[in-house]
Each structure stands twice: as C-alpha cells, then as structure tokens.
Amino acid sequence: MPLSLELSQAIDAVVDHEKPALAQLSRNIHQNPELRFEEHKAAAWIAELLRSRGFEVEQGLAGMSTALRARKGKASGPRVAILGEYDALPEIGHACGHNLIAASAVGAFLAVASVADRVGGEVVFLGTPAEEGGGGKIKMIDAGLFDGLDAAMMFHPFDRNILAHPALANLWLVMTFRGSPAHAAAAPHDGTSALTACMDTFRLVDGQRVHFRDGVRVHGYVINGGQAVNIIPELAVCEFSVRARDVVELARVRAIVERCAKGAAMASDVSVEIVLREGYRDMRNNLAMARRFGAHLAELGIEARETDDRVGAGSTDMGDVSHVVPSIHPWLAIVDENEALCHQHRFQEAAGSERGIRSALDAAKAMARTAVELLGDGALRATVKEEWLALR
C-alpha cells in the first residue's frame, strides 16, 4: 500500500533537520578528494556523523579499511540497504559527485532509521569504497555483506533526472607486445617492432566497430611506446576498456579485441601477452522499485524520465549488486541538461554547489520513502522480487 502522508512527512522532517550536517559532510568530502581504497577522511567523517546520532558503525569490512556498515531495526524481518560512495577521481577530484552520493545515503539512512521500529524490518547503511575502478561493492558481495537483503539502492548525480538508466558491463585488457630492438636507421631490418603491432591493434579494433552491437564501447591508450626514436621498439604496452550492455556481448567483444591484438602481433612477428582485469556487470534496474522512487520524487515536485536514450552510459559496481539483490541506481540533475556530464571539470564544480546539495537531499527523501515502503509492504517486496528473478 502507498506510504502514508504522516510517514512521508516524518521522513522528510529528519532529512530537513539533518541538512546542515549532511551539507557539511558533502563539502568536507568534496574539498578533500581521496582515490579508491584511500578514502580515510571520508569514511571517518561518515562514521563520526553516524556515531554522533547513536549508531554503531562497523569499519574495515571485506578487507577494506574504508568500508562501513550501520544498521537499525530487526534483521529477522525484511532488510533494505542504502549505499554510499565517496572515492574521487585522479586530477579532477569529485567530478562524479560521490560526495553527494555519500551525503544522500547517510541522510536516507537516518530518515528510515527514525521510523524503522514503526514499520518493521531493518535498514542498512553500506559505505562502499573504490567505485572508480576498484570494485569495492564486489568485494563486499564476496564477503557476504549483501546476503539476506531484499533491496539495495543509491542515487547518482547527473545532468538530468532518470529513474532507470542502464550501466554497461565492462572489463580492461592490458596488452604487452615484445619484439627485438635494432638501430632504426642503420639496421631496421634486424628488428621487430612491438610498437607497430601495438598501433595495428588499434587500427584493427577500429575496423571491427561495424560489427559491434549498439551500446558497445571500446577505447584504449598506449602506456609504453618505446624510449628513443632511433631504436626499433622492443616493448610496447597498451590498455583497452571494453564495455557492452550485458556480459554475453561483453565476452563476444572481448574475444574480438584479443583476436585483433594477436593478429597484429603475428603480422609484426612479435609476441603479445594479454592480461584481463575484471570490471563490472551490467545494471539490472528494478522497475517496480524505480517507479516507486519516481512516484516519491513526483510528490516532492520533481519530474523524472524512466529512461533517456539520448545520453550514453558508463559502468558501475552497482551493476554487480543488482545481480545479487533487487536494486535501483537513479540519477538526479545537479546541472542543466547538456551543461556538463560526469568526469568533467564543470561537473566537479557542480558537485560542490548548493544545487548539488539540494539534489542529494531530494534523493535522500525519495530513497528513504521508497525504503520504508519496501519494509512495510509485503506485496511490493513480492513484486520487486518477482521482477528480479525473471531477469536472472
């Protein structure tokens, strides 16, 4: 059944009351960017705020010193998790707005916790390190921290409001080509160029793009292309990121990219070693949950599209979470549409703005309302689980 007006108002009141603390938390994290697995200040600030509100905070989970968990309610009933992120990017800091994600998650948790005894079940805050390439959530999945959960949710800043935007499955391939050196002017015929094979790999991959399905993204860069212009390079190294809409297509494209590298190596008579770094799985947005989140946004005066194919997608370890528990990962605007996107300098500025804080607080209210609705409505939980099982 829909959430009562009284409960909605109680939830909103907590978020409004906590606005100064949440805004300060967001600013502190934004002004002190920390890379994946190094978010010591951010984790300490989050833990300090939660402890100051009377919650026990577990740290050092899943082998990560910056992973956090706090809980309120009865674990014997339904359980819903609200996830926070707080790692930054090299050079451009919080250009993905993880400071806002952290603040919104803490705010939503505090709001749900304030009424948890009235609705039953348990709300869980999970502080998840290293989303930017480290896969902190995957480590937490492997450690069993998502076991027994009925739902998980978080929000992400963007340039528009979207309830169920896709996220691509991804992986990385590091390719090391080894040839033989020679004087590039006096005896070029005595060498075999690792760099030529490396560059040919890029050309061959480009030639295969006509065979990629919609949504596939393959991009790379040269890590090592030689050391001197007058030496045939005996070593060249490049890295490719491969993304696709699901893990099946990801495997197909990975095989194409690896075949290109092997073909290029054969053509130049050099060797190639390919090392896989596992990435993230695709995001399986739970529409039953997403639509309830959208309904609560609408009650707050915020309109959101269910999806928007005009804008591209990235990858996130929240995708892995969505494969083990029904999940949502909605997006809320902190800039005007097309003004800036994640991983840009303008987006980093917006993540520290008052508009960014307002969006984080709106997300906190809508997530808290959705979480409370899930805890108290067995029919909604059944619908959510049925949809999730159908996608497995």
Side-chain angles (χ1 to χ4, degrees), residues 62-84:
M64 297 178 290
S65 62
T66 54
L68 307 170
R69 180 169 65 179
R71 296 180 277 188
K72 176 63 183 297
K74 297 179 179 178
S76 58
R79 303 175 66 227
V80 175
I82 301 171
L83 278 56

Side-chain angles (χ1 to χ4, degrees), residues 164-249:
H165 197 53
L168 304 176
N170 78 314
L171 55 82
W172 293 269
L173 296 170
V174 176
M175 303 169 179
T176 301
F177 299 88
R178 299 184 186 278
S180 56
H183 195 291
H189 51 278
D190 285 338
T192 53
S193 175
L195 179 59
T196 298
C198 180
M199 295 172 66
D200 282 344
T201 299
F202 282 81
R203 287 187 280 267
L204 289 170
V205 169
D206 286 343
Q208 291 297 307
R209 293 185 191 278
V210 295
H211 304 295
F212 293 166
R213 287 187 170 90
D214 291 347
V216 170
R217 299 287 185 271
V218 179
H219 38 277
Y221 77 110
V222 176
I223 299 172
N224 184 338
Q227 283 71 49
V229 71
N230 62 343
I231 303 173
I232 299 295
E234 67 174 319
L235 175 69
V237 184
C238 63
E239 181 176 10
F240 279 89
S241 170
V242 182
R243 305 178 196 250
R245 287 184 172 173
D246 57 55
V247 292
V248 175
E249 179 66 2

Side-chain angles (χ1 to χ4, degrees), residues 310-328:
R310 299 173 302 160
V311 65
S315 304
T316 172
D317 54 4
M318 190 64 183
D320 293 80
V321 174
S322 73
H323 283 251
V324 299
V325 61
S327 303
I328 57 172

Side-chain angles (χ1 to χ4, degrees), residues 77-101:
R79 303 175 66 227
V80 175
I82 301 171
L83 278 56
E85 298 173 354
Y86 31 89
D87 60 324
L89 292 157
E91 304 298 330
I92 53 176
H94 280 287
C96 220
H98 289 191
N99 58 302
L100 298 173
I101 297 173

